[in-house]
Every structure is written in C-alpha cells, then in structure tokens.
Amino acid sequence: MLNFIYQLKAAGIPVSVRYILDFYRGLARGLAPDLDRLFVLARLVFVKRVEHYDLFEQVFGRYFFGREADLGALDRQEVLAGKPFQDWLREQLASGALSEQEIRQFDSEELLTRFWETVLAQQGRHRGGHTWVGTQGRSPYGHSGREAGGVRVYGEGLYGSAQKVIGRRRFVNYSEASPLAAENLRQALAALKSLRPLGPLSELDVEETIHRTAKNGGEIELVFQREIRNRVQLMVFLDNGGQSMGPYVGLVRTVFGKIRDQFRELSTYYFHNCIYGAVYRDPPRTQAVKWEDLIQREPNSRLVIIGDANMAPAEMMAAYGSVEVHTTVRRPGYEWLRELRAHFPASIWLNPIPKHRWPEQSATIDQIRRIFRMEDLTLGGIKNAVTYLNEQGREVDRW
Amino acid sequence: MNGQSLTFGGTERYYLNPELRDIVNLAIAMEKPLLLTGEAGTGKTQLAFEISRALGLAMEEARCKSTFKGEELCYVYDTVLRLNDSRFGCGDTGRDVNDIWDYLRFGPIGRAFLAEDRRVLLLDEIDKTDSDTQDNLLDVLEDGAFIIREINHKVTARLRPIIIITSNAKRELSDPFLRRCFCHYIPFPGPEEMVEIVKLHYPEIPEPFLQSSLTSFYRLREQPFEKPPATAELLDWLGAMRTSGVKGPGAGREVAHVGTLLKRTQDLLKFRGLRR
C-alpha cells in the first residue's frame, strides 16, 4: 500500500504524513472492505482539490487494475533519507530495539514497514497484529503487488466498480493541465479571485473597537481595518484575430466579466496578432484606443494579454509589420510590446497553446517570452499567472 | 467516539448516489469535517439537512458571511447590552449585570459543543469568509474546544458534532484548511442521475417528455453562459412547462419558458442571438 502512496506523490499529489496516518487508521477500522470503498477512502484522505481527481484516478487505476507501474525507486530513497525516518532509526538503535546487524539485513521495505508501525503505535490507533478487517488477515504492508491482489478478491462493490468510474475519466476537465473550458471556468475564477491587492487601513472596525473599548473599561480605542475594495484596475488585451484563439474568446470574456466587481475598473481591448500603437475597444477592431491614453494609466494597473503569440516573424520584427495591409505604423511590434511591458510591470501573457508545444510552434513565441512572462491558458497556467501578477503587483503598489 | 455507530443511508426525499453515501459514512466514522464543493444546485446544503433527518440528530446551522471572524460562531459577548444595563439597570429582564454569563450568546458551534446530544453542524458557504477565519474555525473544530476570552473559560465539546462544510469555490480555500478536512467535489449530475432527481419531484412526468427536456437542458449547459442553468432551474422549468401545458420543451431558439432556465439578461440576449 505504501507503494501506492508513493505513486500518488510521484504523480504530483501532495501527500503528508498526516494523510498516511489517516489512511491507515481508516484501513484499521475496516472502512475499506472492498475495492470501491478503498477507492473512496483513499480519495477522501489524499485528494483535497478537484484538480487532482483525474490524476488520482489514473494512479489508482494503474496501480490496482493495470500493470505494476515502474515505481520510482528514487522516491523511496527520498523518504529513507528524510528526517522523520532518520530520527526514528537513530532512536531504534539507541534504545536497542534494532541492532545495526538487523538493519543491514532488512531491505528498505521492511524498514519502512517498521517505521510506519511505530508511528501508528505512537498515535495509539494501531490495533496490533496484522489482521486488518478489510484485508482479511493480509498485512496492508509488505509487497504491494500481492496486497493489491488481496483486496481485489472483494472487488465487486455496491455501486459498480471503481474501475468503471475511473474508465470514464469524469474529472479530466478539472485537472490542472486541462485548457480553459466551460467545465473549469469556476476553478479558473477562484484562482483569479486571489488577484486582489488590499486597500489601506482606512475602515473603522466597529466590532473590534467595541471589544477593545469594553476591555479598557470604556476608554475609547479605535481599531481600523483594511478596506476590502480594490483600488487597482485590470486591463485585458485579447487577440481575437488568430484561429487558435477562436474557442477561447468567449470563455475569456466570461471569466473576466465575472471578476469585474473585484477591481475598480476592468477594461477589455482587442488586437490582432501583435500590438502596434493601439488596441481596440470593440471586437471588429474599429474603435482604436490611442497609445497615449493607454500609457497614461496608473502603472500599478494589472495587464493580462491573451493571445497565441503565433505570427510571421516579420509581423513582430519588421517595420510596417502588421498583417493589416493598410498599416501606416512604421515602428515594429516588439518595440511596442517592450514599451507596454516597461509601463506595466504587473503584466502577463497568457497563451492558449499548451506550454509543451511552444518551442516547435513559432519563433515569435520565444521572442515575446523575452519581453513578457508567459503562461498557458490552463488552470495551472492561470494560477501561476495570478501568483506572478500578485508578486509583481506588490512591488508596484509600494510606489 | 460515543460507541454507537451512525450510518447514513439517505432519505426518500433526497436522491443520494451510492458514492456520496459512502463518503458521508466514512467522514462520520473517521470524525473528520466533510467539505463539499461543487456548483450551486448539486445539493450540498441539502445533504446536511438529510443527514440530520436520517440520523435523527438536531442541526446547528451557520450561514457564513464575509464579515465573520469565526468567534461569533462560537459565542458573542454583548458588551453594549451590559454597558446599557450597568448604566440604566436591568429592570425586570432577569439579567444580572454582575454575571457575565447573562451576556454571552452562543452561536451554532457553541450550541453544538454544549449540547447533551450529538448534533450535525453545518458551516454553509465557508468560502465567503476570509482565510484567517477559516483557519481559526478549523482550530476550534479540530480541538473540539474554544475559549471565551473575556473570562478565559474553555468550552469543550461534550460530543463531537458531525461537521459538514460547503463551499461554492468563490475563492480558493487555503491548503492548511483543506488538509484538515475530507474533501469531496460533487460533480454536476449526469443525465441518468438527473432522471432520478427529477422523478423525486415529478413522479408522473412522461418519459419521452423528460428525455427531450434533458437533452435541451444539457445542451444549454454546455454553452458559456454567465450563469449556466442548474438543477433548481431545471426543476422550475419542468414545473413551468407542466403548468402551462406545452407539448414539448422546444429546441434551438424556441425553448419554452427559457426565462426559468436563464436568469441573467446577458445570457438571455446571448441565447436569442442578439449578442455574441
């Protein structure tokens, strides 16, 4: 069973000792008499975010239904080298519970097993012996391949097998690597809501003031709290020309529309491929917003540019580079972008093309990445973007 | 642990999918707060009420607000009332201005802890509070105790309540908070499950009518509306169609009573194709 946990960890699901203890506590109480309930128990204990459901199901499926996946031997080494284990080992040696001889004879699995047993016993939850209700006399420790087989005998569950559930991959749309879509709008939104710098300490905290005043025996003490309202404006530049942007224009507008109240002002502008001295107020790009007006915005404005950054190199690097044939703008795109970046340090470029395809997709992606920090338009990317904007923003807000 | 084991098996009014039933029972057995997330209309809050009904336990309910600090869910010390009484006298209210206990009001958590019987404690829409509050609350719930700081008196839970927490994921919950809970994301019910849910409300609805309604409903849900229709809207819609006696739900832009499904003006305009 430990192998299973290490695989979860290797797959990128955060696992803490507390979870492992909870998990064994559940097993010890016989809460996982069949594979289906084992599935539910493990998920409840280990998975805290819907983004990880799909990963979890994949690991569970591979582990209990599929071939034995190659276990990362490295991960076990990591635990063996970790502090809690080393401390335990030292203690065992010091108390004479294990001799050095014995330790050399045990393989790492055996040592880990003993380690967990001790930890469990300390928690006072261990029921002793190796007879766990769920696994009918089979130790949940030991070699996991066999152990998994042992559970599988009771595999036929009450509501159709976990296997079926996993096969459907119901949560694939919620995983971190999935692109923005109607299903995960809500998660993206939750991530974006953390985009909120705090206001000054300017609001009277009535409750706390009363409390302190009462405590002071009537001597009035005023307590102020931060204003919740945001003072910052958010600008979204949306590339609505390129083909790869097509499916995202609506979604992006919906997402940002929903966080409108969080900012003092939200403005959405449009551009095609690259920016040449102006962006446009309307989707067909007829009402231009002048560059001078843009640049005059407060420098702490947050700027999110969403586009595929995928164009002919000339569109970005050459004079008169715009795809619009009638362009009169001499200055090349990259200069405009650089100026934009310099004016708004709290800015980020979101790209609907998944990150792993950037290098082969287009040289201009690389060019733009030298100017703007770029993330892809997946949940993970959006979260990174929010973190980045908040960090940058904190700097700028101090000005 | 109080010896007796509680097992939740659903009630006749509420469609409970077997996975969710197991989850509830696991959380009860492991004495962990159960955090339910998922869209509005997936029955998160309802579940807590059904647990309390099915197990015959009284319910303590806290609807969270963004101004909560956490403490008011345990107790409130009515300072102003006491100052008033000390100045103008208690009159015939029966309060004793020298006794602080007369000025303490217990909130849902306080009541659940002080009760002689085991309670179901619902913290509804926890995501409305800020993350400090959430962490404070979880400290209290994990220890099963809080301190009335004015008199430094510790209130300890006689019986650990069954704790159900819901979140609409308006804001991300902090990692420490999530770590302490059992978390379950309730997915929006699929068509098969939706049939079961609808039948609990409209047992006599004809099958073909229901099927074609559900097809239209799920098609609408796939579009990026600001507020996609959920279960409550579906039930309203079916009710409206039944009352007005239309033959079928209609398709494309001709969906009957679309106003019961789409609530936002923008969504309605988008639906009618007036606005992209």
Side-chain angles (χ1 to χ4, degrees):
Chain A
M1 204 59 81
L2 278 175
N3 273 345
F4 170 60
I5 296 168
Y6 290 131
Q7 284 187 20
L8 287 179
K9 192 161 174 282
I13 298 175
V15 173
S16 79
V17 174
R18 182 195 194 113
Y19 297 172
I20 302 176
L21 294 175
D22 276 344
F23 185 55
Y24 276 106
R25 193 152 62 90
L27 288 180
R29 291 217 193 147
L31 294 177
D34 56 51
L35 198 47
D36 286 345
R37 270 175 279 181
L38 180 71
F39 175 73
V40 173
L41 175 69
R43 197 182 61 195
L44 273 180
V45 170
F46 291 111
V47 188
K48 303 296 171 183
R49 292 177 181 277
V50 65
E51 291 93 308
H52 294 144
Y53 271 33
D54 187 56
L55 260 174
F56 172 81
E57 292 187 354
Q58 293 309 302
V59 173
F60 191 92
R62 200 172 50 216
Y63 190 81
F64 289 99
F65 303 118
R67 66 212 134 60
E68 182 91 31
D70 50 323
L71 172 74
L74 275 173
D75 288 311
R76 183 167 309 165
Q77 292 304 327
E78 210 175 282
V79 174
L80 287 172
K83 189 170 182 304
F85 180 78
Q86 291 296 331
D87 285 351
W88 171 81
L89 202 62
R90 217 165 291 134
E91 202 186 291
Q92 293 287 308
L93 281 172
S95 67
L98 287 172
S99 71
E100 263 185 72
Q101 195 95 47
E102 279 175 304
I103 289 178
R104 252 178 242 123
Q105 276 164 8
F106 289 142
D107 62 6
S108 52
E109 179 97 17
E110 178 78 32
L111 276 175
L112 278 176
T113 302
R114 283 171 176 256
F115 167 59
W116 288 118
E117 271 177 353
T118 318
V119 177
L120 280 169
Q122 281 164 354
Q123 293 282 313
R125 302 286 191 186
H126 190 47
R127 291 209 173 160
H130 285 240
T131 328
W132 304 79
V133 185
T135 50
Q136 293 288 328
R138 214 175 270 257
S139 159
Y141 309 132
H143 285 281
S144 39
R146 249 176 287 138
E147 151 75 0
V151 183
R152 201 190 312 204
V153 179
Y154 308 91
E156 207 42 47
L158 295 165
Y159 54 88
S161 69
Q163 190 156 23
K164 211 166 78 194
V165 174
I166 294 167
R168 273 190 269 148
R169 299 201 67 174
R170 294 172 299 172
F171 294 102
V172 68
N173 279 330
Y174 297 106
S175 87
E176 292 239 292
S178 73
L180 192 64
E183 287 86 349
N184 57 27
L185 274 189
R186 185 166 274 276
Q187 284 163 279
L189 216 57
L192 282 170
K193 289 215 168 153
S194 339
L195 256 187
R196 63 161 20 178
L198 290 165
L201 287 169
S202 61
E203 226 164 62
L204 183 65
D205 184 340
V206 180
E207 287 299 316
E208 195 58 29
T209 301
I210 292 177
H211 179 79
R212 296 258 185 98
T213 304
K215 222 168 184 180
N216 291 353
E219 193 73 34
I220 290 177
E221 181 177 341
L222 297 174
V223 183
F224 290 90
Q225 60 190 4
R226 283 186 196 286
E227 202 180 319
I228 293 179
R229 258 220 321 275
N230 211 318
R231 306 155 298 143
V232 166
Q233 52 175 318
L234 173 70
M235 292 187 288
V236 180
F237 290 2
L238 198 51
D239 175 0
N240 66 345
Q243 220 179 21
S244 51
M245 280 301 295
Y248 297 100
V249 173
L251 288 171
V252 166
R253 281 213 326 223
T254 313
V255 166
F256 282 97
K258 284 200 179 192
I259 58 167
R260 183 179 296 265
D261 322 341
Q262 304 252 331
F263 288 88
R264 200 190 67 210
E265 203 186 322
L266 166 78
S267 21
T268 313
Y269 300 120
Y270 301 87
F271 67 97
H272 186 189
N273 281 356
C274 196
I275 295 166
Y276 313 94
V279 286
Y280 300 87
R281 234 180 282 274
D282 56 333
R285 297 189 298 277
T286 54
Q287 309 165 24
V289 181
K290 270 191 263 147
W291 194 253
E292 298 78 63
D293 293 344
L294 272 183
I295 292 300
Q296 268 170 22
R297 304 282 167 94
E298 291 145 38
N300 68 352
S301 303
R302 310 298 196 254
L303 170 64
V304 181
I305 305 180
I306 301 164
D308 56 15
N310 188 0
M311 61 198 101
E315 285 180 51
M316 193 178 157
M317 309 309 286
Y320 302 108
S322 171
V323 275
E324 316 290 342
V325 276
H326 302 298
T327 185
T328 53
V329 181
R330 189 185 173 278
R331 211 169 154 212
Y334 76 93
E335 278 188 20
W336 293 108
L337 290 181
R338 235 186 245 157
E339 194 180 335
L340 205 54
R341 168 71 182 180
H343 264 274
F344 303 107
S347 54
I348 190 135
W349 190 295
L350 288 174
N351 196 327
I353 298 171
K355 208 170 201 161
H356 59 90
R357 278 175 44 209
W358 289 351
E360 77 223 34
Q361 191 67 232
S362 159
T364 48
I365 293 186
D366 220 42
Q367 295 287 354
I368 288 179
R369 285 181 73 190
R370 280 184 212 161
I371 306 171
F372 284 98
R373 161 83 176 253
M374 195 181 284
E375 291 288 343
D376 55 7
L377 204 52
T378 59
L379 276 180
I382 291 176
K383 281 186 192 167
N384 291 343
V386 168
T387 316
Y388 177 76
L389 283 182
N390 281 341
E391 276 167 16
Q392 295 291 309
R394 213 166 301 136
E395 290 289 307
V396 195
D397 284 342
R398 245 184 259 140
W399 294 356
Chain B
M1 281 267 290
N2 61 338
Q4 117 214 52
S5 67
L6 295 162
T7 314
F8 172 57
T11 63
E12 72 285 353
R13 286 196 314 195
Y14 179 75
Y15 172 77
L16 178 71
N17 98 5
E19 187 186 357
L20 190 53
R21 182 199 58 212
D22 285 353
I23 285 167
V24 170
N25 286 325
L26 278 173
I28 296 176
M30 303 273 291
E31 297 184 314
K32 284 271 183 180
L34 178 60
L35 171 71
L36 299 168
T37 52
E39 288 188 42
T42 41
K44 298 184 295 287
T45 308
Q46 192 61 21
L47 181 65
F49 284 97
E50 295 303 324
I51 292 171
S52 110
R53 229 164 61 89
L55 301 179
L57 303 178
M59 176 93 170
E60 293 296 346
E61 189 190 349
R63 306 237 172 215
C64 296
K65 290 191 216 154
S66 58
T67 52
F68 276 5
K69 293 206 172 55
E71 201 174 66
E72 59 273 70
L73 292 176
C74 300
Y75 75 95
V76 176
Y77 172 37
D78 198 338
T79 333
V80 176
L81 180 63
R82 198 176 184 191
L83 278 175
N84 178 71
D85 283 0
S86 74
R87 177 73 183 77
F88 302 105
C90 302
D92 49 7
T93 56
R95 288 189 295 264
D96 175 5
V97 78
N98 294 315
D99 185 2
I100 188 172
W101 288 92
D102 284 354
Y103 299 92
L104 290 173
R105 310 260 170 280
F106 288 98
I109 294 179
R111 290 196 296 271
F113 282 4
L114 289 166
E116 300 286 345
D117 52 330
R118 204 171 186 197
R119 301 257 163 112
V120 176
L121 174 63
L122 168 67
L123 302 181
D124 210 9
E125 304 190 25
I126 191 87
D127 51 322
K128 282 188 179 166
T129 61
D130 65 28
S131 59
D132 286 352
T133 306
Q134 292 162 13
D135 292 344
N136 293 346
L137 279 176
L138 262 249
D139 284 338
V140 167
L141 295 177
E142 202 161 65
D143 301 345
F146 61 86
I147 287 172
I148 300 176
R149 51 185 174 132
E150 283 77 5
I151 47 175
N152 209 10
H153 174 86
K154 188 170 184 177
V155 176
T156 313
R158 300 204 167 120
L159 286 167
R160 289 291 178 94
I162 295 171
I163 303 163
I164 307 291
I165 304 170
T166 74
S167 161
N168 284 327
K170 290 237 163 67
R171 231 177 281 165
E172 288 230 344
L173 298 171
S174 72
D175 280 318
F177 184 85
L178 293 174
R179 265 204 292 279
R180 293 160 163 202
C181 299
F182 273 2
C183 309
H184 179 58
Y185 178 87
I186 306 184
F188 194 79
E192 300 96 30
E193 259 178 44
M194 196 52 101
V195 169
E196 302 295 323
I197 295 169
V198 169
K199 281 187 172 160
L200 283 178
H201 294 261
Y202 302 108
E204 76 296 353
I205 195 164
E207 192 68 28
F209 184 80
L210 176 56
Q211 286 305 336
S212 60
S213 308
L214 285 181
T215 313
S216 303
F217 173 72
Y218 280 99
R219 196 172 293 148
L220 277 179
R221 268 187 62 81
E222 281 165 15
Q223 296 172 32
F225 288 121
E226 286 215 2
K227 184 177 181 331
T231 317
E233 280 80 24
L234 174 69
L235 292 175
D236 284 352
W237 182 47
L238 291 170
M241 288 195 293
R242 205 176 57 150
T243 315
S244 71
V246 288
K247 298 246 161 44
R253 285 188 193 159
E254 302 302 311
V255 173
H257 304 295
V258 71
T260 53
L261 286 172
L262 299 174
K263 303 282 168 73
R264 298 277 167 84
T265 320
Q266 291 203 341
D267 288 348
L268 272 172
L269 291 175
K270 196 183 214 166
F271 171 76
R272 302 220 166 99
L274 296 176
R275 196 164 172 280
R276 249 203 49 123

